[in-house]
Amino acid sequence: MERFTQGFYGYAVAMLVCLAGVGVFLLVTPQSRTEHLPKVDFSIDVANMRRDAPYEVWSPEPAPAGWVPTSSRMTKEKGAVTWKLGFATAKRPEAATRSHAMLVQSDEKPAAEFANRMANTSEVTGSVQINGETWEQRLRKDKDQRSLVRLLPDVTVVVTGTAPWEELSALAGSLKQQVKAAS
């Protein structure tokens, strides 16, 4: 018995016992194959933005079908009011996972610097017409990030993410300007 508790044999036996324990643990632990996405209600942030932002807020009405809002954050820093709304896009048959898209808007100045920071690039690669409005297209290949940017007089709106252009355009096309709430 001593030869199984010392030297290489002892090591091998201990390793087999540990691996058997891990195998049993994996077999009895419940594993879910379903997708778990945090879903947020961004209507409160829309109401707060309508009240607090010095500009008329752009909000998806309705969000594209199958999209899940996963994050919403409103900030007031250095005199600028910013809202970031993140989405997991609808499942596509050709893709194994969902893509991600984010709507960002702010009255931060200078507007071009804000847009460059949100798009992770200052290079405009083209433009696209969505609902009769012109959006700049920006592409950051090394981060697989595509962005649509609108520089308006009082607010900068950026739709960005790993989603394909068609999905980013769908989000941009769903945006409706919200009337400023009475304070």
Side-chain angles (χ1 to χ4, degrees), residues 131-147:
N131 293 343
E133 303 295 337
T134 302
W135 292 73
E136 294 177 352
Q137 288 181 313
R138 300 184 186 193
L139 176 62
R140 175 86 187 258
K141 285 184 181 178
D142 61 328
K143 289 187 174 257
D144 187 31
Q145 180 180 0
R146 285 163 283 289
S147 302

Side-chain angles (χ1 to χ4, degrees), residues 25-54:
F25 176 77
L26 290 174
L27 286 174
V28 299
T29 303
Q31 297 180 8
S32 174
R33 301 286 186 237
T34 60
E35 180 179 59
H36 295 285
L37 287 173
K39 185 174 183 177
V40 300
D41 178 8
F42 59 90
S43 63
I44 294 169
D45 282 340
V46 171
N48 289 336
M49 287 293 293
R50 287 181 57 216
R51 186 186 68 241
D52 295 341

Side-chain angles (χ1 to χ4, degrees), residues 150-163:
R150 272 188 79 198
L151 299 168
L152 300 169
D154 57 345
V155 63
T156 303
V157 181
V158 180
V159 175
T160 188
T162 59

Side-chain angles (χ1 to χ4, degrees), residues 1 4 10-11 15 17 31 52 78 85 97 100 117 129 133 135 146 150 154 157 169 176 181:
M1 191 69 183
F4 290 112
Y11 173 78
M15 184 62 75
V17 168
Q31 297 180 8
D52 295 341
K78 301 177 186 168
L85 176 60
T97 60
H100 295 277
R117 194 170 69 250
Q129 289 286 318
E133 303 295 337
W135 292 73
R146 285 163 283 289
R150 272 188 79 198
D154 57 345
V157 181
S169 295
K176 304 288 185 276

Side-chain angles (χ1 to χ4, degrees), residues 23-180:
V24 168
F25 176 77
L26 290 174
L27 286 174
V28 299
T29 303
Q31 297 180 8
S32 174
R33 301 286 186 237
T34 60
E35 180 179 59
H36 295 285
L37 287 173
K39 185 174 183 177
V40 300
D41 178 8
F42 59 90
S43 63
I44 294 169
D45 282 340
V46 171
N48 289 336
M49 287 293 293
R50 287 181 57 216
R51 186 186 68 241
D52 295 341
Y55 53 89
E56 290 189 343
V57 177
W58 293 86
S59 174
E61 278 190 11
W67 288 40
V68 179
T70 57
S71 65
S72 180
R73 183 168 183 227
M74 177 190 144
T75 58
K76 291 192 245 182
E77 294 176 358
K78 301 177 186 168
V81 179
T82 304
W83 181 35
K84 295 180 180 181
L85 176 60
F87 287 95
T89 65
K91 288 184 179 179
R92 295 182 321 242
E94 72 276 5
T97 60
R98 295 177 185 250
S99 296
H100 295 277
M102 180 177 285
L103 163 66
V104 186
Q105 55 194 295
S106 180
D107 61 339
E108 183 180 314
K109 301 294 181 204
E113 285 183 19
F114 173 78
N116 295 346
R117 194 170 69 250
M118 293 301 108
N120 280 310
T121 183
S122 60
E123 183 181 344
V124 177
T125 57
S127 65
V128 64
Q129 289 286 318
I130 301 170
N131 293 343
E133 303 295 337
T134 302
W135 292 73
E136 294 177 352
Q137 288 181 313
R138 300 184 186 193
L139 176 62
R140 175 86 187 258
K141 285 184 181 178
D142 61 328
K143 289 187 174 257
D144 187 31
Q145 180 180 0
R146 285 163 283 289
S147 302
L148 297 171
V149 176
R150 272 188 79 198
L151 299 168
L152 300 169
D154 57 345
V155 63
T156 303
V157 181
V158 180
V159 175
T160 188
T162 59
W165 290 115
E166 300 81 34
E167 289 182 333
L168 293 178
S169 295
L171 179 56
S174 75
L175 298 179
K176 304 288 185 276
Q177 200 166 22
Q178 305 298 311
V179 177
K180 183 116 175 80

